[in-house]
Amino acid sequence: MNTQRRAKRDLTIEEVVDRAMEIAQTDGERGLTMRRVAEACGVTTMAIYHHVADKEALLTAVVDRVVAEAIADFGAADRPWRDDLVEFLCRYRAGFLEHPTAAQVYLRRPVISASLARCTELMFEAFENAGLEGRRVTDATDAVVLLLMGAIGNDLTRPPAVRHELTQALPAEAAPRLNRDIDAYSHRDPEARFRESLDWLLDGLLAAD
Amino acid sequence: MNTQRRAKRDLTIEEVVDRAMEIAQTDGERGLTMRRVAEACGVTTMAIYHHVADKEALLTAVVDRVVAEAIADFGAADRPWRDDLVEFLCRYRAGFLEHPTAAQVYLRRPVISASLARCTELMFEAFENAGLEGRRVTDATDAVVLLLMGAIGNDLTRPPAVRHELTQALPAEAAPRLNRDIDAYSHRDPEARFRESLDWLLDGLLAAD
DNA sequence: ACCTGAACACCGTTCAAGT
DNA sequence: ACCTGAACACCGTTCAAGT
């Protein structure tokens, strides 16, 4: 809570994003207000608007940070393309799960950023290296992106306790299978589920002509 | 814009949800405020709180409506289980795409409701009918739900024009494949992509022991 | 160019009161 | 039980002004 007056030209966009990510981490999306960011930067609310067009632009910068970290060393390891892609997607998913506010923004609205463009380029490249051609490359990327976004959204908002509550929304006799299998369905390892789903998807798409 | 005073006991929770869905449809999530709902119901803002605990509860009721419509006649048609499941998931996806505000809520936070519990029961049943057993049933449901949520999120927030903008976030030479394939990637039929991805996923999971 | 301070037009919700 | 009216504690953002 730095209340000292700052020298001019001292505040940078990088620092604004840093503080925004810290606040998002501790207080979530509702706690991430322009007023709080300004306070954390030791500056008036309106000073933030000098470094960022509006709140949405700040949120886009936060999402870009998360993506940038996830794609940082894609392709660095020496292993088959499929392992490389799977590990990349897992890191991507994990990165957003560690930054729930960024994930909410990523899922809720369009996000255009340099890191996201780079990320798409990398996925096209991965499927090209796998021997796919033309539409097969973009269709495969499409499929993988759908599963990825779903895993982020689901694993972020449906932890075990939430899934478990489903049984209470209906009388037990109206949902016999749900009540019988709810423990297997709710108390599972989300990353393992994502990995297996991804394996099935890749198996299916590679088996198709 | 009914400004007449209403008789007491006249307003029902169903009407509140009706008005909320209309407002969400025309003005989106930002336009859906408690004040606007009350106005549309011809009642004071605080009168709404007599029928609903808070705004979140109202949003949950809106989501439940959308799910209820999607699952209405699941299993009614006489066809193989797989076709039945695929058509069901497509209707589910389409239902949320027709109600973007409901989709946003569905993706952003936990939603517990009777229709959602029923929906899970139906998916368990479908995979049981397909011959899966034990963990295979819940794991298959898990996989399909991930893809479903991802398709809703992606197709809602990433229309062709948005995907196309990706090319402008990076200099052309930094993303050669993206620039070459962007048209195939952005201007595609989202439902067709969902169907094919789902086919690949089901192929893969049925092929696994 | 960078920052301040006051104000505007909103929110969801609490609380006390009416009938 | 059902609804009203005023108020509270917030938001993001505009605008005019300082240095």
Side-chain angles (χ1 to χ4, degrees), chain B residues 33-89:
Chain B
T33 69
M34 298 301 267
R35 284 169 166 87
R36 292 259 294 124
V37 172
E39 186 192 24
C41 290
V43 111
T44 307
T45 304
M46 291 318 299
I48 302 299
Y49 284 84
H50 201 270
H51 297 89
V52 85
D54 53 19
K55 191 182 181 183
E56 292 300 291
L58 176 56
L59 291 174
T60 296
V62 168
V63 171
D64 188 77
R65 273 277 182 91
V66 175
V67 175
E69 278 172 34
I71 67 177
D73 51 324
F74 180 43
D78 183 26
R79 55 190 167 193
W81 73 267
R82 182 162 166 164
D83 293 346
D84 220 32
L85 179 65
V86 168
E87 293 313 314
F88 166 61
L89 294 171

Side-chain angles (χ1 to χ4, degrees), chain B residues 69-125:
Chain B
E69 278 172 34
I71 67 177
D73 51 324
F74 180 43
D78 183 26
R79 55 190 167 193
W81 73 267
R82 182 162 166 164
D83 293 346
D84 220 32
L85 179 65
V86 168
E87 293 313 314
F88 166 61
L89 294 171
C90 283
R91 270 234 315 289
Y92 195 97
R93 171 185 165 283
F96 273 112
L97 291 186
E98 283 163 21
H99 297 279
T101 301
Q104 313 266 40
V105 175
Y106 179 71
L107 292 171
R108 169 177 74 227
R109 64 164 173 88
V111 182
I112 303 294
S113 86
S115 296
L116 228 33
R118 178 99 187 100
C119 176
T120 310
E121 172 77 10
L122 288 170
M123 283 193 284
F124 285 3
E125 188 178 350

